[in-house]
């Protein structure tokens, strides 16, 4: 009312600035990125599972470590080309929750809680805290879809080894997991998943904003596709480097069997992972994060 008395009419709010539109746009962009980069994600999961004790009776992995390219080619040769997209349905479901939540929530935190300096920049530590916070919250909500995705990604490997299939579809996986462990069972492995997502978003969201601002300010680049591409590549590399160790732990936990009380049976501890196998599958994870980040940020 005060604004109306002073004769100042606020500009009409465009629908593109609304939270619901940004949520839908983020989900569409993330789904596009996921469809493009999913074979890298599947290859990453297969590499992370290789070396896991308990894959066969004597505790020795049935498939040797073969690297990014050879693993991808091996999947095509042994299982078929379309198997590179096995488990993509729950991956899309995950992004409908995860990507929309983290993008919209990060913008809200950035615009309302961050401090803006006179030159328009914001403190890096605030971006770090915001990235960790929204990444952890979004991933916790989407963890059941991640669990189903990991288990579906390993079905092709299991069938090729002559093992009986555990699941045939995302809906069947959901029903079986819920029947075995209830709601708690759907969040199996959620804690390493949340930690992993917090570190990935720390590197992704924080680095993207900071690096893009640096390129435009110090290098004199315009707000173009090349600037987006460089910023996305840098943020994907940093995010993958920070999140890969916890991503391996998350994948191992989600693929492990459960006991009669629906508790997962630990086949590895994080300390043994580092001592026995070292750092695994950082390259496909980095490629996946960089490519999906570029598609996502350009689409938004």
């Amino acid at each position: 009312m005060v604004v109306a008395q002073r004769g100042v009419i606020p500009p009409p709010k465009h629908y593109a600035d609304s939270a619901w539109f940004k949520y839908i746009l983020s989900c569409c962009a993330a789904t596009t990125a996921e469809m493009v980069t999913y074979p890298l994600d599947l290859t990453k999961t297969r590499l992370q599972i290789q070396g896991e004790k308990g894959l066969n009776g004597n505790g020795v992995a049935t498939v040797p470590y073969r690297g990014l390219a050879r693993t991808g080619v091996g999947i095509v040769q042994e299982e078929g080309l379309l198997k590179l997209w096995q488990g993509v349905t729950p991956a899309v479901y995950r992004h409908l929750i995860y990507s929309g939540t983290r993008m919209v929530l990060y913008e809200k935190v950035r615009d309302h809680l961050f401090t803006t300096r006179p030159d328009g920049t914001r403190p890096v530590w605030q971006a770090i805290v915001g990235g960790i916070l929204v990444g952890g919250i979004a991933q916790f909500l989407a963890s059941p879809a991640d669990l189903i995705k990991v288990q579906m990604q390993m079905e092709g490997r299991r069938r090729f080894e002559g093992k009986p299939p555990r699941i045939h579809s995302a809906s069947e996986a959901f029903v079986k997991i819920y029947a075995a462990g209830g709601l708690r069972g759907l969040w199996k492995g959620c804690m390493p998943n949340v930690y992993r997502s917090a570190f990935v978003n720390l590197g992704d969201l924080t680095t993207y904003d900071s690096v893009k601002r640096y390129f435009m300010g110090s290098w004199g680049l315009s707000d173009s596709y090349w600037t987006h591409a460089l910023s996305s590549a840098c943020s994907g590399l940093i995010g993958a480097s920070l999140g890969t160790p916890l991503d391996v732990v998350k994948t191992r936990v989600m693929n492990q069997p459960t006991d009669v009380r629906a508790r997962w049976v630990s086949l590895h501890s994080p300390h043994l992972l580092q001592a026995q196998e070292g750092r695994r599958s950082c390259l496909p994870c980095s490629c996946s994060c960089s490519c999906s980040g570029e598609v996502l940020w350009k689409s938004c």
Side-chain angles (χ1 to χ4, degrees), residues 10 113 227:
L113 299 182
T227 306

Side-chain angles (χ1 to χ4, degrees), residues 78-100:
E78 298 164 359
E79 304 170 40
L81 179 63
L82 294 181
K83 291 299 182 180
L84 288 173
W85 279 269
Q86 182 166 5
V88 72
T89 302
V92 171
Y93 294 160
R94 170 184 178 268
H95 278 295
L96 294 180
I97 303 173
Y98 171 73
S99 294

Side-chain angles (χ1 to χ4, degrees), residues 215-244:
F215 286 153
M216 296 177 64
S218 299
W219 289 18
L221 298 180
S222 61
D223 191 5
S224 62
Y225 281 135
W226 286 109
T227 306
H228 283 279
L230 288 173
S231 303
S232 299
C234 292
S235 63
L237 179 61
I238 299 298
S241 299
L242 292 175
T244 292

Side-chain angles (χ1 to χ4, degrees), residues 39-50 63-80 83-84 153-154 157 280-281 284:
L40 289 173
D41 188 54
L42 176 66
T43 304
K44 175 205 70 173
T45 301
R46 294 290 181 88
L47 286 172
Q48 289 173 340
I49 292 298
Q50 291 187 61
V63 180
Y65 176 79
R66 298 184 297 185
L68 171 62
R70 294 187 61 190
T71 300
V73 173
I75 293 173
V76 175
Q77 293 177 342
E78 298 164 359
E79 304 170 40
K83 291 299 182 180
L84 288 173
Q153 285 177 331
M154 290 307 300
R157 181 77 261 163
R280 186 182 293 269
S281 64

Side-chain angles (χ1 to χ4, degrees), residues 98 130-141 193-195 197-198 201:
Y98 171 73
I132 292 176
L133 178 64
V134 302
I137 293 174
Q139 187 57 71
F140 179 79
L141 296 175
N193 204 9
V194 168
Y195 297 151
S197 180
N201 281 275

Side-chain angles (χ1 to χ4, degrees), residues 10-299:
K13 188 176 180 180
H14 197 269
Y15 71 89
D17 297 325
S18 60
W20 66 266
F21 181 82
K22 292 180 179 179
Y23 190 98
I24 294 175
L25 183 63
S26 298
C27 292
C28 293
T31 301
T32 303
E34 185 69 30
M35 296 296 293
V36 173
T37 62
Y38 189 79
L40 289 173
D41 188 54
L42 176 66
T43 304
K44 175 205 70 173
T45 301
R46 294 290 181 88
L47 286 172
Q48 289 173 340
I49 292 298
Q50 291 187 61
E52 181 184 63
K53 288 184 177 180
L55 283 180
N56 54 26
N58 56 13
V60 180
T62 56
V63 180
Y65 176 79
R66 298 184 297 185
L68 171 62
R70 294 187 61 190
T71 300
V73 173
I75 293 173
V76 175
Q77 293 177 342
E78 298 164 359
E79 304 170 40
L81 179 63
L82 294 181
K83 291 299 182 180
L84 288 173
W85 279 269
Q86 182 166 5
V88 72
T89 302
V92 171
Y93 294 160
R94 170 184 178 268
H95 278 295
L96 294 180
I97 303 173
Y98 171 73
S99 294
T101 300
R102 72 160 184 155
M103 296 296 288
V104 172
L105 194 57
Y106 182 76
E107 282 197 353
K108 294 295 184 182
V109 171
R110 181 188 62 189
D111 295 340
H112 294 89
L113 299 182
F114 287 6
T115 303
T116 304
R117 299 191 182 103
D119 59 354
T121 61
R122 298 180 175 89
V124 176
W125 71 267
Q126 292 184 358
I128 292 175
V129 173
I132 292 176
L133 178 64
V134 302
I137 293 174
Q139 187 57 71
F140 179 79
L141 296 175
S143 191
D146 233 347
L147 172 63
I148 296 173
K149 182 190 75 171
V150 169
Q151 295 196 2
M152 289 191 66
Q153 285 177 331
M154 290 307 300
E155 281 305 297
R157 181 77 261 163
R158 288 174 56 86
R159 296 175 188 181
F160 179 76
E161 294 171 356
K163 297 179 181 179
R166 294 179 297 186
I167 51 178
H168 297 86
S169 64
S171 58
E172 181 184 358
F174 179 87
V175 171
K176 284 190 174 181
I177 294 172
Y178 180 78
L183 286 176
R184 184 178 180 181
L186 291 171
W187 269 266
K188 182 177 77 170
C190 70
M191 292 315 298
N193 204 9
V194 168
Y195 297 151
R196 173 252 179 197
S197 180
F199 278 100
V200 168
N201 281 275
L202 164 63
D204 188 7
L205 298 176
T206 305
T207 303
Y208 183 85
D209 273 347
S210 303
V211 170
K212 181 182 175 184
R213 203 162 46 238
Y214 173 78
F215 286 153
M216 296 177 64
S218 299
W219 289 18
L221 298 180
S222 61
D223 191 5
S224 62
Y225 281 135
W226 286 109
T227 306
H228 283 279
L230 288 173
S231 303
S232 299
C234 292
S235 63
L237 179 61
I238 299 298
S241 299
L242 292 175
T244 292
L246 287 167
D247 194 38
V248 175
V249 176
K250 179 265 297 185
T251 302
R252 295 289 179 88
V253 170
M254 288 183 168
N255 190 58
Q256 285 174 5
T258 56
D259 59 17
V260 293
R261 298 177 61 184
R263 297 175 302 184
W264 57 272
V265 181
S266 178
L267 301 176
H268 275 292
S269 70
H271 303 289
L272 287 176
L273 280 172
Q274 176 65 25
Q276 297 177 359
E277 301 177 45
R279 192 180 180 110
R280 186 182 293 269
S281 64
C282 183
L283 178 59
C285 189
S286 176
C287 293
S288 177
C289 286
S290 297
C291 295
S292 62
E294 183 170 345
V295 176
L296 174 63
W297 289 110
K298 284 185 177 181
S299 300

